[in-house]
């Protein structure tokens, strides 16, 4: 019986190669759609399609006349508020010095004059102190507004969220963009996968975390990986399912869009069936 089983297994292996061969495509697991976050005209573009970018690189810049006016007004208001604080602080220091001299010259003055001058000096200092506090509150309020404009300024400089290659650019200098408008597509080249389709009849041979082999014929590149996911939505026309195969990239020549093959070992399935 054992000899018959081995002979049958050998015949099946010879007939089918004991492998399910799937065709697929190399894709990036981290593709970013870069939108505009503020309305304005494109002032400068720093990268073109095919360029490599690093995280936090400025991809392009926007300009907005309305924003520039508001930002200038906020900066001017902040400078004026700080100047008011300095003026009142200087005035307070003058009153403090006068108060010191008044105390020093007390013996040369009558008690009534000294008391009247001291009361007048204290009232003036209280008024100036209140003015300083009001000006400091104004500085805080305007500073908060300038921080908001700084945030908006960050929206005008669109930065790369991660390392990658720019694969699509849909804007030109002088174009008007609106919030949410797609401007660029950035592809992470360090996290690649193979996406393949498997027929419904062969779906029983694949499962998550199963180890498979992949090959990229154009590079004669071979590697091992595992089935990361089985997409549970079938193609109603071809009755196929998509699978994602994770593998470790060891060559800089592998790019999204390359043709790939996935080899699923069927030996265990054949043995279990027998």
């Amino acid at each position: 019986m054992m000899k018959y089983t081995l002979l049958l297994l050998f015949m099946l292996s010879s007939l089918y190669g004991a492998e399910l061969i799937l065709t697929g495509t190399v894709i990036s697991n981290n593709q970013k759609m870069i939108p505009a976050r503020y309305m304005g005209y494109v002032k400068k573009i720093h990268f073109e399609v095919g360029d490599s970018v690093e995280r936090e690189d400025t991809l392009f810049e926007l300009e907005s006349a309305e924003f520039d006016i508001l930002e200038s007004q906020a900066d001017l208001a902040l400078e004026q508020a700080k100047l008011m604080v300095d003026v009142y602080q200087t005035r307070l220091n003058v009153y403090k010095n006068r108060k010191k001299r008044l105390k020093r010259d007390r013996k040369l003055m009558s008690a009534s004059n000294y008391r009247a001058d001291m009361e007048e000096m204290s009232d003036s200092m209280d008024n100036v102190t209140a003015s300083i506090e009001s000006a400091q509150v104004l500085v805080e309020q305007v500073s908060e507004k300038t921080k908001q404009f700084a945030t908006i300024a960050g929206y005008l400089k669109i930065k790369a969220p991660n390392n990658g290659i720019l694969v699509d650019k849909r804007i030109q200098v002088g174009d008007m963009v609106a919030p949410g408008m797609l401007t660029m597509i950035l592809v992470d080249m360090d996290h690649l996968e193979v996406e393949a389709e498997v027929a419904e009849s062969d779906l029983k041979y694949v499962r998550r975390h199963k180890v498979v082999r992949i090959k990229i014929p154009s590079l004669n590149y071979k590697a091992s990986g595992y089935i990361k996911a089985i997409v549970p939505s079938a193609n109603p026309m071809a009755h196929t399912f998509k699978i994602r195969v994770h593998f470790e990239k060891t060559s800089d020549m592998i790019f999204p869009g390359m043709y790939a093959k996935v080899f699923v070992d069927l030996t265990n399935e054949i043995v279990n069936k027998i």
Side-chain angles (χ1 to χ4, degrees):
M1 184 64 180
M2 181 60 69
K3 290 182 179 180
Y4 174 75
T5 301
L6 293 176
L7 179 61
L8 181 58
L9 176 61
F10 175 76
M11 292 175 63
L12 289 172
S13 299
S14 300
L15 180 60
Y16 296 104
E19 285 183 325
L20 174 64
I21 302 177
L22 307 174
T23 60
T25 305
V26 178
I27 63 172
S28 174
N29 189 35
N30 186 18
Q31 179 172 290
K32 296 292 176 56
M33 308 294 183
I34 310 298
R37 303 178 65 184
Y38 194 80
M39 179 175 290
Y41 290 97
V42 178
K43 179 171 64 176
K44 190 173 183 180
I45 299 176
H46 297 274
F47 296 94
E48 297 296 331
V49 173
D51 290 344
S52 296
V53 302
E54 296 183 357
R55 187 175 185 275
E56 294 300 320
D57 281 348
T58 300
L59 300 176
F60 64 93
E61 300 178 32
L62 300 177
E63 62 179 359
S64 173
E66 178 185 0
F67 170 77
D68 292 340
I69 293 174
L70 294 176
E71 185 180 29
S72 298
Q73 290 176 347
D75 291 339
L76 179 61
L78 181 60
E79 291 299 324
Q80 290 177 342
K82 289 181 178 180
L83 181 61
M84 288 174 60
V85 172
D86 293 338
V87 169
Y88 287 128
Q89 188 63 54
T90 301
R91 188 175 299 176
L92 181 62
N93 292 334
V94 170
Y95 284 133
K96 287 181 178 180
N97 291 330
R98 288 180 179 178
K99 190 173 184 179
K100 289 180 181 179
R101 289 197 299 269
L102 187 62
K103 289 181 177 180
R104 188 173 57 247
D105 298 338
R106 180 177 182 179
K107 295 180 179 179
L108 303 177
M109 304 173 59
S110 64
S112 58
N113 289 339
Y114 174 77
R115 185 166 54 254
D117 290 346
M118 286 294 291
E119 289 178 356
E120 182 181 356
M121 195 71 65
S122 297
D123 292 340
S124 298
M125 292 178 64
D126 290 341
N127 292 333
V128 173
T129 301
S131 299
I132 291 176
E133 293 175 354
S134 298
Q136 288 175 339
V137 171
L138 182 60
V139 169
E140 292 178 0
Q141 293 175 346
V142 179
S143 296
E144 188 64 30
K145 184 173 292 187
T146 56
K147 289 179 182 179
Q148 294 175 0
F149 281 114
T151 301
I152 297 176
Y155 295 163
L156 298 179
K157 291 185 178 181
I158 310 302
K159 297 182 180 294
N162 54 261
N163 299 347
I165 290 181
L166 194 64
V167 299
D168 193 9
K169 178 174 71 70
R170 304 187 181 185
I171 55 173
Q172 299 293 335
V173 173
D175 287 351
M176 166 68 80
V177 299
M181 175 180 169
L182 179 61
T183 59
M184 294 180 173
I185 299 178
L186 184 66
V187 172
D188 183 355
M189 299 297 296
D190 295 327
H191 300 87
L192 302 181
E193 296 179 351
V194 173
E195 184 177 79
E197 289 193 351
V198 55
E200 183 177 347
S201 58
D202 294 327
L203 196 60
K204 57 182 176 292
Y205 298 126
V206 300
R207 62 181 182 274
R208 289 188 62 195
H209 306 303
K210 182 173 182 177
V211 176
V212 296
R213 295 187 301 111
I214 69 167
K215 181 179 180 180
I216 301 177
S218 61
L219 301 176
N220 197 26
Y221 178 86
K222 299 178 181 179
S224 62
Y226 65 88
I227 298 175
K228 178 181 177 181
I230 302 174
V231 182
S233 57
N235 184 332
M237 300 298 294
H239 297 285
T240 58
F241 289 77
K242 289 184 179 181
I243 63 171
R244 290 284 191 93
V245 177
H246 173 83
F247 70 98
E248 294 296 333
K249 176 187 172 184
T250 58
S251 172
D252 292 333
M253 295 302 297
I254 301 176
F255 297 98
M258 284 186 165
Y259 172 73
K261 290 184 177 181
V262 179
F263 300 88
V264 182
D265 186 11
L266 301 181
T267 303
N268 293 335
E269 281 72 8
I270 294 175
V271 173
N272 293 334
K273 188 175 181 180
I274 294 175

